[in-house]
PDB file of all heavy atoms in Angstrom:
ATOM      1  N   LEU A 285       0.833  -1.192   0.000  1.00 98.00           N
ATOM      2  CA  LEU A 285       0.000   0.000   0.000  1.00 98.00           C
ATOM      3  C   LEU A 285       0.872   1.248   0.000  1.00 98.00           C
ATOM      4  O   LEU A 285       1.882   1.313   0.706  1.00 98.00           O
ATOM      5  CB  LEU A 285      -0.919   0.037   1.221  1.00 98.00           C
ATOM      6  CG  LEU A 285      -1.918  -1.104   1.372  1.00 98.00           C
ATOM      7  CD1 LEU A 285      -2.843  -0.833   2.558  1.00 98.00           C
ATOM      8  CD2 LEU A 285      -2.730  -1.314   0.105  1.00 98.00           C
ATOM      9  N   ALA A 286       0.485   2.234  -0.817  1.00 97.00           N
ATOM     10  CA  ALA A 286       1.032   3.587  -0.721  1.00 97.00           C
ATOM     11  C   ALA A 286      -0.101   4.466  -0.215  1.00 97.00           C
ATOM     12  O   ALA A 286      -1.235   4.359  -0.697  1.00 97.00           O
ATOM     13  CB  ALA A 286       1.526   4.074  -2.077  1.00 97.00           C
ATOM     14  N   PHE A 287       0.199   5.304   0.759  1.00 98.00           N
ATOM     15  CA  PHE A 287      -0.873   6.123   1.317  1.00 98.00           C
ATOM     16  C   PHE A 287      -0.325   7.421   1.874  1.00 98.00           C
ATOM     17  O   PHE A 287       0.877   7.565   2.136  1.00 98.00           O
ATOM     18  CB  PHE A 287      -1.643   5.352   2.392  1.00 98.00           C
ATOM     19  CG  PHE A 287      -0.846   4.927   3.595  1.00 98.00           C
ATOM     20  CD1 PHE A 287      -0.829   5.709   4.749  1.00 98.00           C
ATOM     21  CD2 PHE A 287      -0.123   3.744   3.591  1.00 98.00           C
ATOM     22  CE1 PHE A 287      -0.100   5.324   5.867  1.00 98.00           C
ATOM     23  CE2 PHE A 287       0.612   3.349   4.704  1.00 98.00           C
ATOM     24  CZ  PHE A 287       0.624   4.139   5.844  1.00 98.00           C
ATOM     25  N   SER A 288      -1.229   8.369   2.033  1.00 98.00           N
ATOM     26  CA  SER A 288      -0.884   9.648   2.639  1.00 98.00           C
ATOM     27  C   SER A 288      -1.640   9.771   3.955  1.00 98.00           C
ATOM     28  O   SER A 288      -2.688   9.150   4.153  1.00 98.00           O
ATOM     29  CB  SER A 288      -1.258  10.803   1.708  1.00 98.00           C
ATOM     30  OG  SER A 288      -2.649  10.788   1.418  1.00 98.00           O
ATOM     31  N   ALA A 289      -1.097  10.597   4.841  1.00 98.00           N
ATOM     32  CA  ALA A 289      -1.741  10.849   6.132  1.00 98.00           C
ATOM     33  C   ALA A 289      -1.232  12.174   6.665  1.00 98.00           C
ATOM     34  O   ALA A 289      -0.074  12.548   6.425  1.00 98.00           O
ATOM     35  CB  ALA A 289      -1.452   9.732   7.133  1.00 98.00           C
ATOM     36  N   PRO A 290      -2.046  12.912   7.401  1.00 98.00           N
ATOM     37  CA  PRO A 290      -1.587  14.179   7.974  1.00 98.00           C
ATOM     38  C   PRO A 290      -0.405  13.968   8.923  1.00 98.00           C
ATOM     39  O   PRO A 290      -0.272  12.906   9.540  1.00 98.00           O
ATOM     40  CB  PRO A 290      -2.818  14.681   8.741  1.00 98.00           C
ATOM     41  CG  PRO A 290      -3.985  13.951   8.143  1.00 98.00           C
ATOM     42  CD  PRO A 290      -3.454  12.619   7.715  1.00 98.00           C
ATOM     43  N   VAL A 291       0.423  14.990   9.029  1.00 98.00           N
ATOM     44  CA  VAL A 291       1.548  14.927   9.966  1.00 98.00           C
ATOM     45  C   VAL A 291       1.058  14.646  11.384  1.00 98.00           C
ATOM     46  O   VAL A 291       1.693  13.908  12.144  1.00 98.00           O
ATOM     47  CB  VAL A 291       2.348  16.246   9.914  1.00 98.00           C
ATOM     48  CG1 VAL A 291       3.413  16.281  11.020  1.00 98.00           C
ATOM     49  CG2 VAL A 291       2.992  16.423   8.544  1.00 98.00           C
ATOM     50  N   SER A 292      -0.092  15.194  11.718  1.00 98.00           N
ATOM     51  CA  SER A 292      -0.651  14.995  13.058  1.00 98.00           C
ATOM     52  C   SER A 292      -1.035  13.544  13.332  1.00 98.00           C
ATOM     53  O   SER A 292      -1.280  13.169  14.485  1.00 98.00           O
ATOM     54  CB  SER A 292      -1.885  15.884  13.257  1.00 98.00           C
ATOM     55  OG  SER A 292      -2.887  15.572  12.302  1.00 98.00           O
ATOM     56  N   ALA A 293      -1.076  12.724  12.284  1.00 98.00           N
ATOM     57  CA  ALA A 293      -1.497  11.322  12.433  1.00 98.00           C
ATOM     58  C   ALA A 293      -0.310  10.365  12.500  1.00 98.00           C
ATOM     59  O   ALA A 293      -0.505   9.148  12.406  1.00 98.00           O
ATOM     60  CB  ALA A 293      -2.416  10.930  11.290  1.00 98.00           C
ATOM     61  N   ARG A 294       0.899  10.852  12.674  1.00 98.00           N
ATOM     62  CA  ARG A 294       2.067   9.961  12.645  1.00 98.00           C
ATOM     63  C   ARG A 294       1.986   8.865  13.693  1.00 98.00           C
ATOM     64  O   ARG A 294       2.303   7.704  13.418  1.00 98.00           O
ATOM     65  CB  ARG A 294       3.359  10.766  12.803  1.00 98.00           C
ATOM     66  CG  ARG A 294       3.716  11.549  11.550  1.00 98.00           C
ATOM     67  CD  ARG A 294       5.015  12.308  11.687  1.00 98.00           C
ATOM     68  NE  ARG A 294       5.316  13.040  10.462  1.00 98.00           N
ATOM     69  CZ  ARG A 294       6.354  13.854  10.294  1.00 98.00           C
ATOM     70  NH1 ARG A 294       7.224  14.019  11.304  1.00 98.00           N
ATOM     71  NH2 ARG A 294       6.550  14.477   9.153  1.00 98.00           N
ATOM     72  N   GLN A 295       1.584   9.196  14.889  1.00 98.00           N
ATOM     73  CA  GLN A 295       1.460   8.170  15.919  1.00 98.00           C
ATOM     74  C   GLN A 295       0.346   7.190  15.584  1.00 98.00           C
ATOM     75  O   GLN A 295       0.485   5.983  15.815  1.00 98.00           O
ATOM     76  CB  GLN A 295       1.214   8.815  17.285  1.00 98.00           C
ATOM     77  CG  GLN A 295       2.425   9.539  17.848  1.00 98.00           C
ATOM     78  CD  GLN A 295       2.201  10.021  19.276  1.00 98.00           C
ATOM     79  OE1 GLN A 295       1.074  10.069  19.766  1.00 98.00           O
ATOM     80  NE2 GLN A 295       3.285  10.377  19.951  1.00 98.00           N
ATOM     81  N   ALA A 296      -0.752   7.693  15.023  1.00 98.00           N
ATOM     82  CA  ALA A 296      -1.864   6.827  14.646  1.00 98.00           C
ATOM     83  C   ALA A 296      -1.461   5.887  13.513  1.00 98.00           C
ATOM     84  O   ALA A 296      -1.882   4.726  13.482  1.00 98.00           O
ATOM     85  CB  ALA A 296      -3.067   7.670  14.235  1.00 98.00           C
ATOM     86  N   VAL A 297      -0.641   6.373  12.585  1.00 98.00           N
ATOM     87  CA  VAL A 297      -0.149   5.509  11.492  1.00 98.00           C
ATOM     88  C   VAL A 297       0.689   4.375  12.067  1.00 98.00           C
ATOM     89  O   VAL A 297       0.531   3.203  11.681  1.00 98.00           O
ATOM     90  CB  VAL A 297       0.673   6.332  10.476  1.00 98.00           C
ATOM     91  CG1 VAL A 297       1.429   5.399   9.526  1.00 98.00           C
ATOM     92  CG2 VAL A 297      -0.234   7.257   9.676  1.00 98.00           C
ATOM     93  N   GLN A 298       1.582   4.688  12.976  1.00 98.00           N
ATOM     94  CA  GLN A 298       2.424   3.643  13.559  1.00 98.00           C
ATOM     95  C   GLN A 298       1.600   2.669  14.397  1.00 98.00           C
ATOM     96  O   GLN A 298       1.878   1.467  14.418  1.00 98.00           O
ATOM     97  CB  GLN A 298       3.532   4.274  14.398  1.00 98.00           C
ATOM     98  CG  GLN A 298       4.546   5.065  13.582  1.00 98.00           C
ATOM     99  CD  GLN A 298       5.199   4.245  12.479  1.00 98.00           C
ATOM    100  OE1 GLN A 298       5.493   3.055  12.656  1.00 98.00           O
ATOM    101  NE2 GLN A 298       5.414   4.862  11.323  1.00 98.00           N
ATOM    102  N   ALA A 299       0.558   3.179  15.051  1.00 98.00           N
ATOM    103  CA  ALA A 299      -0.327   2.288  15.807  1.00 98.00           C
ATOM    104  C   ALA A 299      -1.065   1.346  14.867  1.00 98.00           C
ATOM    105  O   ALA A 299      -1.227   0.150  15.165  1.00 98.00           O
ATOM    106  CB  ALA A 299      -1.321   3.109  16.622  1.00 98.00           C
ATOM    107  N   ALA A 300      -1.504   1.853  13.708  1.00 98.00           N
ATOM    108  CA  ALA A 300      -2.162   1.006  12.715  1.00 98.00           C
ATOM    109  C   ALA A 300      -1.206  -0.046  12.181  1.00 98.00           C
ATOM    110  O   ALA A 300      -1.579  -1.209  11.977  1.00 98.00           O
ATOM    111  CB  ALA A 300      -2.693   1.867  11.564  1.00 98.00           C
ATOM    112  N   ALA A 301       0.043   0.342  11.965  1.00 98.00           N
ATOM    113  CA  ALA A 301       1.053  -0.601  11.484  1.00 98.00           C
ATOM    114  C   ALA A 301       1.292  -1.716  12.499  1.00 98.00           C
ATOM    115  O   ALA A 301       1.398  -2.897  12.136  1.00 98.00           O
ATOM    116  CB  ALA A 301       2.357   0.139  11.179  1.00 98.00           C
ATOM    117  N   ARG A 302       1.367  -1.349  13.768  1.00 98.00           N
ATOM    118  CA  ARG A 302       1.557  -2.370  14.809  1.00 98.00           C
ATOM    119  C   ARG A 302       0.341  -3.277  14.898  1.00 98.00           C
ATOM    120  O   ARG A 302       0.477  -4.510  15.042  1.00 98.00           O
ATOM    121  CB  ARG A 302       1.827  -1.697  16.156  1.00 98.00           C
ATOM    122  CG  ARG A 302       3.186  -1.034  16.261  1.00 98.00           C
ATOM    123  CD  ARG A 302       3.487  -0.643  17.703  1.00 98.00           C
ATOM    124  NE  ARG A 302       2.545   0.344  18.213  1.00 98.00           N
ATOM    125  CZ  ARG A 302       2.705   1.661  18.101  1.00 98.00           C
ATOM    126  NH1 ARG A 302       3.753   2.158  17.468  1.00 98.00           N
ATOM    127  NH2 ARG A 302       1.811   2.481  18.632  1.00 98.00           N
ATOM    128  N   GLN A 303      -0.842  -2.700  14.825  1.00 98.00           N
ATOM    129  CA  GLN A 303      -2.066  -3.500  14.881  1.00 98.00           C
ATOM    130  C   GLN A 303      -2.121  -4.510  13.748  1.00 98.00           C
ATOM    131  O   GLN A 303      -2.563  -5.658  13.944  1.00 98.00           O
ATOM    132  CB  GLN A 303      -3.279  -2.566  14.803  1.00 98.00           C
ATOM    133  CG  GLN A 303      -4.629  -3.278  14.811  1.00 98.00           C
ATOM    134  CD  GLN A 303      -5.777  -2.298  14.656  1.00 98.00           C
ATOM    135  OE1 GLN A 303      -5.690  -1.129  15.040  1.00 98.00           O
ATOM    136  NE2 GLN A 303      -6.881  -2.747  14.074  1.00 98.00           N
ATOM    137  N   ALA A 304      -1.650  -4.112  12.573  1.00 98.00           N
ATOM    138  CA  ALA A 304      -1.683  -4.993  11.398  1.00 98.00           C
ATOM    139  C   ALA A 304      -0.419  -5.833  11.268  1.00 98.00           C
ATOM    140  O   ALA A 304      -0.314  -6.637  10.332  1.00 98.00           O
ATOM    141  CB  ALA A 304      -1.871  -4.155  10.132  1.00 98.00           C
ATOM    142  N   ALA A 305       0.530  -5.668  12.182  1.00 97.00           N
ATOM    143  CA  ALA A 305       1.812  -6.382  12.130  1.00 97.00           C
ATOM    144  C   ALA A 305       2.474  -6.201  10.768  1.00 97.00           C
ATOM    145  O   ALA A 305       3.018  -7.144  10.176  1.00 97.00           O
ATOM    146  CB  ALA A 305       1.612  -7.870  12.440  1.00 97.00           C
ATOM    147  N   THR A 306       2.429  -4.974  10.259  1.00 97.00           N
ATOM    148  CA  THR A 306       2.984  -4.648   8.948  1.00 97.00           C
ATOM    149  C   THR A 306       3.794  -3.363   9.051  1.00 97.00           C
ATOM    150  O   THR A 306       3.243  -2.319   9.421  1.00 97.00           O
ATOM    151  CB  THR A 306       1.870  -4.437   7.908  1.00 97.00           C
ATOM    152  OG1 THR A 306       1.059  -5.604   7.839  1.00 97.00           O
ATOM    153  CG2 THR A 306       2.450  -4.153   6.535  1.00 97.00           C
ATOM    154  N   PRO A 307       5.088  -3.398   8.759  1.00 96.00           N
ATOM    155  CA  PRO A 307       5.878  -2.164   8.845  1.00 96.00           C
ATOM    156  C   PRO A 307       5.469  -1.159   7.780  1.00 96.00           C
ATOM    157  O   PRO A 307       5.070  -1.534   6.668  1.00 96.00           O
ATOM    158  CB  PRO A 307       7.312  -2.651   8.614  1.00 96.00           C
ATOM    159  CG  PRO A 307       7.160  -3.918   7.826  1.00 96.00           C
ATOM    160  CD  PRO A 307       5.892  -4.550   8.307  1.00 96.00           C
ATOM    161  N   VAL A 308       5.557   0.112   8.105  1.00 97.00           N
ATOM    162  CA  VAL A 308       5.336   1.182   7.135  1.00 97.00           C
ATOM    163  C   VAL A 308       6.520   2.133   7.201  1.00 97.00           C
ATOM    164  O   VAL A 308       7.155   2.287   8.250  1.00 97.00           O
ATOM    165  CB  VAL A 308       4.016   1.939   7.379  1.00 97.00           C
ATOM    166  CG1 VAL A 308       2.834   0.998   7.294  1.00 97.00           C
ATOM    167  CG2 VAL A 308       4.032   2.672   8.712  1.00 97.00           C
ATOM    168  N   THR A 309       6.825   2.769   6.077  1.00 97.00           N
ATOM    169  CA  THR A 309       7.969   3.674   5.980  1.00 97.00           C
ATOM    170  C   THR A 309       7.518   4.999   5.379  1.00 97.00           C
ATOM    171  O   THR A 309       6.852   5.020   4.344  1.00 97.00           O
ATOM    172  CB  THR A 309       9.077   3.072   5.100  1.00 97.00           C
ATOM    173  OG1 THR A 309       9.447   1.786   5.612  1.00 97.00           O
ATOM    174  CG2 THR A 309      10.301   3.976   5.062  1.00 97.00           C
ATOM    175  N   ARG A 310       7.883   6.089   6.031  1.00 97.00           N
ATOM    176  CA  ARG A 310       7.574   7.420   5.508  1.00 97.00           C
ATOM    177  C   ARG A 310       8.650   7.796   4.496  1.00 97.00           C
ATOM    178  O   ARG A 310       9.837   7.850   4.834  1.00 97.00           O
ATOM    179  CB  ARG A 310       7.504   8.421   6.662  1.00 97.00           C
ATOM    180  CG  ARG A 310       7.185   9.842   6.252  1.00 97.00           C
ATOM    181  CD  ARG A 310       6.628  10.622   7.448  1.00 97.00           C
ATOM    182  NE  ARG A 310       7.433  10.451   8.654  1.00 97.00           N
ATOM    183  CZ  ARG A 310       8.436  11.245   9.024  1.00 97.00           C
ATOM    184  NH1 ARG A 310       8.770  12.278   8.244  1.00 97.00           N
ATOM    185  NH2 ARG A 310       9.089  11.027  10.149  1.00 97.00           N
ATOM    186  N   ILE A 311       8.258   8.052   3.254  1.00 96.00           N
ATOM    187  CA  ILE A 311       9.227   8.275   2.177  1.00 96.00           C
ATOM    188  C   ILE A 311       9.116   9.644   1.529  1.00 96.00           C
ATOM    189  O   ILE A 311       9.871   9.941   0.596  1.00 96.00           O
ATOM    190  CB  ILE A 311       9.095   7.192   1.077  1.00 96.00           C
ATOM    191  CG1 ILE A 311       7.705   7.231   0.433  1.00 96.00           C
ATOM    192  CG2 ILE A 311       9.412   5.806   1.621  1.00 96.00           C
ATOM    193  CD1 ILE A 311       7.605   6.393  -0.823  1.00 96.00           C
ATOM    194  N   GLY A 312       8.204  10.490   1.999  1.00 97.00           N
ATOM    195  CA  GLY A 312       8.088  11.794   1.369  1.00 97.00           C
ATOM    196  C   GLY A 312       6.916  12.578   1.891  1.00 97.00           C
ATOM    197  O   GLY A 312       6.369  12.283   2.967  1.00 97.00           O
ATOM    198  N   CYS A 313       6.533  13.602   1.133  1.00 98.00           N
ATOM    199  CA  CYS A 313       5.424  14.455   1.546  1.00 98.00           C
ATOM    200  C   CYS A 313       4.615  14.894   0.333  1.00 98.00           C
ATOM    201  O   CYS A 313       5.106  14.893  -0.804  1.00 98.00           O
ATOM    202  CB  CYS A 313       5.936  15.668   2.315  1.00 98.00           C
ATOM    203  SG  CYS A 313       6.986  16.762   1.349  1.00 98.00           S
ATOM    204  N   ILE A 314       3.372  15.259   0.596  1.00 98.00           N
ATOM    205  CA  ILE A 314       2.472  15.760  -0.436  1.00 98.00           C
ATOM    206  C   ILE A 314       2.690  17.261  -0.585  1.00 98.00           C
ATOM    207  O   ILE A 314       2.806  17.995   0.404  1.00 98.00           O
ATOM    208  CB  ILE A 314       1.003  15.474  -0.057  1.00 98.00           C
ATOM    209  CG1 ILE A 314       0.754  13.960   0.016  1.00 98.00           C
ATOM    210  CG2 ILE A 314       0.054  16.128  -1.063  1.00 98.00           C
ATOM    211  CD1 ILE A 314       0.858  13.229  -1.307  1.00 98.00           C
ATOM    212  N   ASP A 315       2.754  17.718  -1.844  1.00 97.00           N
ATOM    213  CA  ASP A 315       2.966  19.133  -2.156  1.00 97.00           C
ATOM    214  C   ASP A 315       1.729  19.723  -2.817  1.00 97.00           C
ATOM    215  O   ASP A 315       0.965  19.005  -3.486  1.00 97.00           O
ATOM    216  CB  ASP A 315       4.143  19.310  -3.120  1.00 97.00           C
ATOM    217  CG  ASP A 315       5.427  18.682  -2.612  1.00 97.00           C
ATOM    218  OD1 ASP A 315       5.654  18.728  -1.387  1.00 97.00           O
ATOM    219  OD2 ASP A 315       6.189  18.156  -3.449  1.00 97.00           O
ATOM    220  N   ALA A 316       1.570  21.029  -2.675  1.00 97.00           N
ATOM    221  CA  ALA A 316       0.494  21.713  -3.391  1.00 97.00           C
ATOM    222  C   ALA A 316       0.795  21.768  -4.884  1.00 97.00           C
ATOM    223  O   ALA A 316      -0.114  21.709  -5.723  1.00 97.00           O
ATOM    224  CB  ALA A 316       0.303  23.120  -2.832  1.00 97.00           C
ATOM    225  N   GLU A 317       2.081  21.871  -5.238  1.00 96.00           N
ATOM    226  CA  GLU A 317       2.484  21.958  -6.645  1.00 96.00           C
ATOM    227  C   GLU A 317       2.339  20.586  -7.313  1.00 96.00           C
ATOM    228  O   GLU A 317       2.888  19.593  -6.822  1.00 96.00           O
ATOM    229  CB  GLU A 317       3.934  22.417  -6.748  1.00 96.00           C
ATOM    230  CG  GLU A 317       4.443  22.508  -8.175  1.00 96.00           C
ATOM    231  CD  GLU A 317       5.932  22.802  -8.245  1.00 96.00           C
ATOM    232  OE1 GLU A 317       6.545  23.031  -7.174  1.00 96.00           O
ATOM    233  OE2 GLU A 317       6.482  22.773  -9.355  1.00 96.00           O
ATOM    234  N   PRO A 318       1.604  20.500  -8.423  1.00 94.00           N
ATOM    235  CA  PRO A 318       1.455  19.216  -9.106  1.00 94.00           C
ATOM    236  C   PRO A 318       2.804  18.650  -9.550  1.00 94.00           C
ATOM    237  O   PRO A 318       3.798  19.370  -9.677  1.00 94.00           O
ATOM    238  CB  PRO A 318       0.578  19.566 -10.315  1.00 94.00           C
ATOM    239  CG  PRO A 318      -0.138  20.810  -9.919  1.00 94.00           C
ATOM    240  CD  PRO A 318       0.837  21.573  -9.068  1.00 94.00           C
ATOM    241  N   GLY A 319       2.844  17.347  -9.779  1.00 92.00           N
ATOM    242  CA  GLY A 319       4.060  16.696 -10.236  1.00 92.00           C
ATOM    243  C   GLY A 319       4.693  15.861  -9.145  1.00 92.00           C
ATOM    244  O   GLY A 319       4.316  15.942  -7.971  1.00 92.00           O
ATOM    245  N   LEU A 320       5.683  15.077  -9.554  1.00 93.00           N
ATOM    246  CA  LEU A 320       6.359  14.161  -8.634  1.00 93.00           C
ATOM    247  C   LEU A 320       7.848  14.447  -8.695  1.00 93.00           C
ATOM    248  O   LEU A 320       8.474  14.326  -9.756  1.00 93.00           O
ATOM    249  CB  LEU A 320       6.062  12.712  -9.039  1.00 93.00           C
ATOM    250  CG  LEU A 320       6.513  11.596  -8.115  1.00 93.00           C
ATOM    251  CD1 LEU A 320       6.013  11.804  -6.696  1.00 93.00           C
ATOM    252  CD2 LEU A 320       6.015  10.252  -8.645  1.00 93.00           C
ATOM    253  N   ARG A 321       8.411  14.845  -7.570  1.00 94.00           N
ATOM    254  CA  ARG A 321       9.817  15.218  -7.493  1.00 94.00           C
ATOM    255  C   ARG A 321      10.588  14.183  -6.676  1.00 94.00           C
ATOM    256  O   ARG A 321      10.147  13.799  -5.581  1.00 94.00           O
ATOM    257  CB  ARG A 321       9.949  16.607  -6.867  1.00 94.00           C
ATOM    258  CG  ARG A 321       9.458  17.712  -7.797  1.00 94.00           C
ATOM    259  CD  ARG A 321       9.036  18.953  -7.074  1.00 94.00           C
ATOM    260  NE  ARG A 321       7.769  18.760  -6.392  1.00 94.00           N
ATOM    261  CZ  ARG A 321       6.571  18.824  -6.998  1.00 94.00           C
ATOM    262  NH1 ARG A 321       6.500  19.059  -8.281  1.00 94.00           N
ATOM    263  NH2 ARG A 321       5.457  18.640  -6.309  1.00 94.00           N
ATOM    264  N   LEU A 322      11.734  13.760  -7.213  1.00 94.00           N
ATOM    265  CA  LEU A 322      12.556  12.739  -6.569  1.00 94.00           C
ATOM    266  C   LEU A 322      13.864  13.363  -6.125  1.00 94.00           C
ATOM    267  O   LEU A 322      14.560  14.007  -6.920  1.00 94.00           O
ATOM    268  CB  LEU A 322      12.847  11.593  -7.545  1.00 94.00           C
ATOM    269  CG  LEU A 322      11.634  10.937  -8.218  1.00 94.00           C
ATOM    270  CD1 LEU A 322      12.088   9.866  -9.196  1.00 94.00           C
ATOM    271  CD2 LEU A 322      10.692  10.355  -7.181  1.00 94.00           C
ATOM    272  N   LEU A 323      14.211  13.165  -4.841  1.00 93.00           N
ATOM    273  CA  LEU A 323      15.435  13.718  -4.295  1.00 93.00           C
ATOM    274  C   LEU A 323      16.408  12.602  -3.934  1.00 93.00           C
ATOM    275  O   LEU A 323      16.001  11.520  -3.497  1.00 93.00           O
ATOM    276  CB  LEU A 323      15.138  14.539  -3.035  1.00 93.00           C
ATOM    277  CG  LEU A 323      14.148  15.698  -3.186  1.00 93.00           C
ATOM    278  CD1 LEU A 323      14.014  16.439  -1.863  1.00 93.00           C
ATOM    279  CD2 LEU A 323      14.556  16.637  -4.306  1.00 93.00           C
ATOM    280  N   ASP A 324      17.717  12.879  -4.105  1.00 88.00           N
ATOM    281  CA  ASP A 324      18.726  11.897  -3.713  1.00 88.00           C
ATOM    282  C   ASP A 324      19.154  12.148  -2.259  1.00 88.00           C
ATOM    283  O   ASP A 324      18.570  12.977  -1.549  1.00 88.00           O
ATOM    284  CB  ASP A 324      19.918  11.924  -4.669  1.00 88.00           C
ATOM    285  CG  ASP A 324      20.664  13.253  -4.665  1.00 88.00           C
ATOM    286  OD1 ASP A 324      20.479  14.054  -3.713  1.00 88.00           O
ATOM    287  OD2 ASP A 324      21.435  13.501  -5.608  1.00 88.00           O
ATOM    288  N   ALA A 325      20.197  11.457  -1.813  1.00 85.00           N
ATOM    289  CA  ALA A 325      20.630  11.543  -0.420  1.00 85.00           C
ATOM    290  C   ALA A 325      21.111  12.937  -0.041  1.00 85.00           C
ATOM    291  O   ALA A 325      21.101  13.307   1.140  1.00 85.00           O
ATOM    292  CB  ALA A 325      21.734  10.525  -0.156  1.00 85.00           C
ATOM    293  N   ASP A 326      21.526  13.744  -1.047  1.00 83.00           N
ATOM    294  CA  ASP A 326      21.994  15.109  -0.796  1.00 83.00           C
ATOM    295  C   ASP A 326      20.888  16.140  -0.951  1.00 83.00           C
ATOM    296  O   ASP A 326      21.159  17.349  -0.910  1.00 83.00           O
ATOM    297  CB  ASP A 326      23.145  15.447  -1.750  1.00 83.00           C
ATOM    298  CG  ASP A 326      24.349  14.537  -1.544  1.00 83.00           C
ATOM    299  OD1 ASP A 326      24.660  14.252  -0.360  1.00 83.00           O
ATOM    300  OD2 ASP A 326      24.950  14.099  -2.542  1.00 83.00           O
ATOM    301  N   GLY A 327      19.656  15.659  -1.167  1.00 86.00           N
ATOM    302  CA  GLY A 327      18.549  16.587  -1.347  1.00 86.00           C
ATOM    303  C   GLY A 327      18.480  17.199  -2.731  1.00 86.00           C
ATOM    304  O   GLY A 327      17.727  18.160  -2.954  1.00 86.00           O
TER     305      GLY A 327
END
């Protein structure tokens, strides 16, 4: 699954992950500007 969630829900996301015994990883953020931007380790 790929999903978005408000920053305020970070603890709730991790609680859902524990409940489902499924790890989740935060990999980015949603922007107002359309398009998909990819950053490397140096930003």
